[in-house]
């Protein structure tokens, strides 16, 4: 399955939702980074203060090269999220995201649970 991704912004919540599917080659990852950086210009928050929800339930098992490249993306200090949640399927790809994330973020099987975790500090402050 060819790589695909999409971005949805919720500027009022400082949130970028990313959906990714398929098998990523180096060129796909480079295109993803360019398009993600462009999408993030639609957020009004200060750098590194955004929240990220990444739905990777449709991703295939990736090559070791792709996992290493995604790890670099996730460690890039210019685009680090305040919090990042991954919505995963029950496949081996889950272990790859754990490796790529390097201890950052949390894994969920449900989008609602991921969003609840992302927003828990903001919701508590608003109460």
């Amino acid at each position: 399955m060819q790589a695909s991704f999409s971005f949805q912004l919720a500027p009022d919540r400082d949130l970028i939702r990313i959906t990714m599917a398929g098998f990523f080659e180096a060129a796909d990852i480079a295109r993803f980074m360019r398009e993600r950086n462009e999408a993030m210009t639609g957020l009004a928050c200060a750098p590194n203060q955004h929240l990220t929800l990444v739905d990777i339930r449709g991703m295939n098992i990736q090559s070791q090269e792709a996992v290493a490249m995604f790890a670099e993306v996730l460690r890039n200090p210019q685009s680090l999220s305040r919090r990042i949640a991954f919505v995963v399927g029950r496949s081996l790809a889950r272990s790859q995201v754990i490796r790529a994330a390097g201890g950052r973020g949390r894994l969920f099987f449900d989008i609602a649970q991921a969003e609840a975790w992302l927003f828990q500090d903001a919701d508590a402050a608003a109460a």
Side-chain angles (χ1 to χ4, degrees):
M1 180 177 178
Q2 189 173 8
S4 66
F5 53 85
S6 63
F7 307 100
Q8 181 183 24
L9 297 180
D12 59 319
R13 306 278 334 242
D14 300 329
L15 174 70
I16 183 168
R17 287 182 179 93
I18 303 171
T19 303
M20 303 174 77
F23 184 81
F24 284 72
E25 301 283 348
D28 300 315
I29 297 169
R31 184 171 53 92
F32 166 82
M33 289 172 40
R34 283 191 308 273
E35 292 183 26
R36 185 220 40 206
N37 292 346
E38 178 64 29
M40 287 178 58
T41 63
L43 296 174
C45 59
N48 307 111
Q49 294 305 303
H50 64 284
L51 302 170
T52 304
L53 188 148
V54 187
D55 183 348
I56 59 168
R57 292 175 292 180
M59 280 187 82
N60 296 356
I61 300 298
Q62 303 296 309
S63 69
Q64 291 305 312
E65 176 188 18
V67 172
M69 290 180 75
F70 279 125
E72 287 181 35
V73 170
L74 289 165
R75 285 191 305 262
N76 183 339
Q78 294 178 339
S79 60
L80 287 178
S81 303
R82 179 167 41 112
R83 278 192 147 169
I84 185 167
F86 299 94
V87 180
V88 299
R90 299 184 186 270
S91 73
L92 293 176
R94 182 177 68 204
S95 65
Q96 289 187 319
V97 76
I98 291 169
R99 223 177 18 246
R104 293 197 62 245
R106 291 208 24 210
L107 302 183
F108 298 89
F109 295 115
D110 176 87
I111 288 179
Q113 290 174 339
E115 287 181 344
W117 177 77
L118 282 170
F119 298 132
Q120 70 186 5
D121 291 341
D123 292 343

